[in-house]
Amino acid sequence: MKIPFQSFERMHEAIRPELTAKFNAVLDKNYYIMGGEHELFEKNFAFYVGTKFALGCGNGLDALHIILKALGIGEGAEVIVPSNTYIATALAVSYAGARPIFVEPKAGTFNIDPAKIEDAITERTKAIMVVHLYGRPADMDPIMAIAKKHNLKIVEDCAQAHGAKYKGQKIGTFGVAAGFSFYPGKNLGALGDGGAIVTNDEEVAKKCAMLRNYGSEIKYQHDYKGFNSRLDEMQAAFLNAKLPHLDSWNAARKAVAAKYLAGIKNPLIELPLPSDETFDCVWHIFAIRCKERAALEAYLAEKGIGTLKHYPIPMHLQKAYTDLGYKKGDLPLAEEISATELSLPLYIGMTDEEIDCVIDALNAFKA
């Protein structure tokens, strides 16, 4: 049996008439940038997240970058980011002209460790960029307390956690603003690139709206040196078709994760923490850890089971960030996770047979 790491076929086939209808509607209107579907999606997504404003943009990285620019965080500033995440989080800080300061995760959660944040704060620190990695909410109460104590902004990177909740509150509603990605593989994915900024701050929303559109609110009048980062009309239409299904898709992801958590019993494999009332995880990624990862990866590949590594090189050791002066051993937990993490297949439409096949293969693995 071939089980890919990810597949869109069954999910999209189930809503093909809705996607086709949206495609035809946009094609017939001949209006492709920031039209009616875009406006509708902004309204729909703001309502879903629970914020006053949602602003479509080109991708998740742009969303975070634009937020930082709107907040005036730039040259000379430092922004605390998790050491264990995708590089887009740090790139947003770099693009704004600020310096990312990496803080280690808490063992078992993959998310930033609140207990280690204060040690990284300096007089140049302006914000904490919180990532809800793999669909698991970060521990927001202590992070919010630290931010309040030190007068820091909180920006949420929600690229992997659409619909996740912390103590019953949707992620994306804790900080001054949050960025989402609609890359096709996300829990809510477009059929191309896309992103959104959400916020309850009217002034932040207004500035972000201008920055994404060449710094302009009135055509040919430019108040800022802005960017061209707009969610195109076709992708907005597809997202409008998909958004009503997001909660049921997240429920399906939770069901797969629950079967993995209950069924995988191999002592060589460390499982992620389960979802609970505090950390309502939407399981964008089901990340296991194994000290014999290379052998496990090859073994699963031989059995036709696809996997990915999130992420094999930690950010502080990427060639792109040699200028920050980090060296191997500086962030040992991030380095250990990068060396041991392996992501299992989890997609909409997985059958019980496929799930059981993955579980059986993992339980039979021997180093």
Side-chain angles (χ1 to χ4, degrees), residues 7 23 55 91 109 123 144 301 342:
S7 173
F23 174 85
L55 306 162
L91 288 176
T109 73
E123 61 183 11
M144 296 285 288
L342 193 66

Side-chain angles (χ1 to χ4, degrees), residues 11 23 33 49 83 87 92 98 168-169 186 192 194 198 251 262 265 267 280 282 301 324 339 341 354 359 365:
M11 175 177 65
F23 174 85
I33 300 291
V49 175
S83 62
I87 197 170
Q169 181 178 340
K186 305 302 186 185
V198 299
K265 303 293 185 181
D280 186 0
V282 293
L324 296 183
E341 190 278 339
E354 289 168 332
I359 292 171
F365 172 70

Side-chain angles (χ1 to χ4, degrees), residues 47-63:
F47 179 79
Y48 178 82
V49 175
T51 54
K52 292 179 181 178
F53 307 100
L55 306 162
C57 60
N59 52 68
L61 170 54
D62 284 357

Side-chain angles (χ1 to χ4, degrees), residues 276-333:
D276 57 31
E277 291 183 359
T278 298
F279 301 97
D280 186 0
C281 181
V282 293
W283 300 102
H284 172 62
I285 298 293
F286 192 92
I288 62 173
R289 291 178 61 191
C290 179
K291 292 181 179 179
E292 304 295 333
R293 182 180 67 186
L296 177 59
E297 184 181 21
Y299 163 82
L300 291 174
E302 288 177 1
K303 291 186 171 295
I305 298 172
T307 59
L308 279 181
K309 298 185 286 288
H310 295 91
Y311 302 96
I313 303 173
M315 281 191 296
H316 67 287
L317 298 182
Q318 294 282 354
K319 184 177 180 180
Y321 277 115
T322 53
D323 61 306
L324 296 183
Y326 288 95
K327 62 183 183 302
K328 191 171 182 179
D330 285 346
L331 298 167
L333 187 49

Side-chain angles (χ1 to χ4, degrees), residues 213-340:
N213 188 37
Y214 296 100
S216 174
E217 184 177 27
I218 301 171
K219 196 172 180 67
Y220 301 130
Q221 179 177 311
H222 306 273
D223 295 358
Y224 306 105
K225 297 181 180 73
F227 314 98
N228 175 18
S229 181
R230 299 171 298 199
L231 178 64
D232 76 70
E233 189 74 355
M234 193 67 78
Q235 299 306 332
F238 292 142
L239 289 167
N240 278 324
K242 285 185 160 190
L243 183 57
H245 300 279
L246 178 56
D247 284 342
S248 64
W249 287 341
N250 282 343
R253 287 179 172 274
K254 291 177 184 180
V256 176
K259 290 177 181 176
Y260 280 159
L261 289 167
I264 299 170
K265 303 293 185 181
N266 193 326
L268 297 174
I269 294 169
E270 180 181 329
L271 296 172
L273 293 174
S275 184
D276 57 31
E277 291 183 359
T278 298
F279 301 97
D280 186 0
C281 181
V282 293
W283 300 102
H284 172 62
I285 298 293
F286 192 92
I288 62 173
R289 291 178 61 191
C290 179
K291 292 181 179 179
E292 304 295 333
R293 182 180 67 186
L296 177 59
E297 184 181 21
Y299 163 82
L300 291 174
E302 288 177 1
K303 291 186 171 295
I305 298 172
T307 59
L308 279 181
K309 298 185 286 288
H310 295 91
Y311 302 96
I313 303 173
M315 281 191 296
H316 67 287
L317 298 182
Q318 294 282 354
K319 184 177 180 180
Y321 277 115
T322 53
D323 61 306
L324 296 183
Y326 288 95
K327 62 183 183 302
K328 191 171 182 179
D330 285 346
L331 298 167
L333 187 49
E335 293 170 26
E336 182 183 337
I337 290 171
S338 290
T340 58

Side-chain angles (χ1 to χ4, degrees), residues 124-135:
R124 295 178 295 278
T125 308
K126 301 299 179 185
I128 304 170
M129 188 170 283
V130 179
V131 180
H132 306 286
L133 196 67
Y134 304 155

Side-chain angles (χ1 to χ4, degrees), residues 63-85:
L64 297 174
H65 176 207
I66 289 168
I67 290 168
L68 293 175
K69 294 292 284 188
L71 295 176
I73 296 173
E75 201 69 37
E78 294 177 351
V79 177
I80 290 172
V81 301
S83 62
N84 176 51
T85 185

